[in-house]
Amino acid sequence: MCRLYLVDDDQDVLDSLTWMLTGLGYQPKGFLSADNFLNSVDLTHPGIAILDVQMPGMDGSALLSHITSLHSPIAVIMLSGHGSIAMAVQAIQKGALDFLEKPVDGDKLQQLLERAKIQTAQNQQRNIDRQSLESKLATLTPREYEVMEKVLEGKLNKVIAAELNVAQRTLELHRQKVMLKMQVSNVAELAYLMGRSSEY
């Protein structure tokens, strides 16, 4: 079961949403403030958070920004009693899955939660991939990193060797180590791996 969190400063809203979501087969956990949520929830774990936009202290929009800045896999749905198109657009630009107005439509929320489950799983996989890439890059020496960049520019070994003022055989050894450490068998795989990094 995907973890589901509700953050709203109105206890009545929390109670009604909890009742609705329990009826849909979820076991939501409610919080009356962003601080309570942040003190209780591990943001590195996958999950879904439904956040009220307007709350005292840290509001839902600021909490969304915080979750996004940490590359948390948690998928976020924003909630507001006084929503505007501008507010909805801003929330989605910040990384929210969608923006709902109170009172919440149960059918629409259920559809969104299905999408949110997929998104949080994708976010988690992207984080795993990013950490794997960072670990591989950390094993490269400065010279190997330099060689990798020039290889990705499509330069021939003899050209790179001349630019770095090393023997071609030395360059070939550096290149082999890059491929070994990055766990790829050719330049196309290396280019794909490094190209994916821009998605993280």
Side-chain angles (χ1 to χ4, degrees):
M1 173 63 72
C2 189
R3 295 178 180 87
L4 179 57
Y5 309 109
L6 311 174
V7 187
D8 196 304
D9 63 315
D10 187 329
Q11 187 66 57
D12 290 339
V13 172
L14 279 185
D15 290 344
S16 63
L17 270 176
T18 298
W19 178 82
M20 179 191 291
L21 289 162
T22 303
L24 294 174
Y26 290 90
Q27 295 176 317
K29 189 166 185 186
F31 301 92
L32 285 164
S33 73
D35 284 342
N36 286 347
F37 169 78
L38 290 172
N39 289 333
S40 307
V41 174
D42 185 342
L43 298 184
T44 63
H45 290 163
I48 302 166
I50 300 174
L51 311 180
D52 183 33
V53 173
Q54 287 157 323
M55 295 185 288
M58 180 186 273
D59 65 13
S61 183
L63 180 53
L64 168 63
S65 296
H66 181 69
I67 291 169
T68 306
S69 72
L70 295 176
H71 298 291
S72 170
I74 291 174
V76 175
I77 298 167
M78 300 301 290
L79 196 61
S80 176
H82 319 281
S84 66
I85 291 172
M87 198 184 280
V89 169
Q90 185 185 44
I92 289 165
Q93 284 175 340
K94 283 185 174 184
L97 181 63
D98 210 335
F99 188 97
L100 291 177
E101 287 194 55
K102 299 175 188 175
V104 176
D105 178 291
D107 291 337
K108 187 172 182 185
L109 180 58
Q110 190 165 18
Q111 290 171 5
L112 265 183
L113 289 171
E114 290 305 313
R115 283 173 53 202
K117 283 182 198 172
I118 294 167
Q119 189 188 63
T120 190
Q122 289 173 339
N123 290 349
Q124 179 74 344
Q125 188 57 52
R126 190 170 63 238
N127 284 352
I128 291 167
D129 292 345
R130 188 184 73 249
Q131 286 160 7
S132 171
L133 177 61
E134 286 172 353
S135 296
K136 289 172 187 173
L137 288 172
T139 67
L140 298 180
T141 65
R143 176 45 62 94
E144 287 164 357
Y145 193 89
E146 200 174 10
V147 168
M148 181 182 73
E149 287 187 314
K150 291 184 181 297
V151 166
L152 289 171
E153 288 169 12
K155 293 177 177 176
L156 299 173
N157 281 358
K158 62 182 181 183
V159 174
I160 301 173
E163 287 183 0
L164 298 180
N165 198 26
V166 296
Q168 192 164 328
R169 178 64 187 147
T170 304
L171 186 277
E172 286 166 3
L173 289 171
H174 282 315
R175 185 169 172 152
Q176 282 173 13
K177 282 189 177 177
V178 168
M179 296 297 179
L180 192 66
K181 290 179 176 181
M182 297 304 289
Q183 296 173 17
V184 293
S185 54
N186 55 52
V187 177
E189 287 181 16
L190 181 63
Y192 175 76
L193 183 65
M194 295 305 293
R196 288 287 308 279
S197 66
S198 61
E199 299 171 17
Y200 308 146

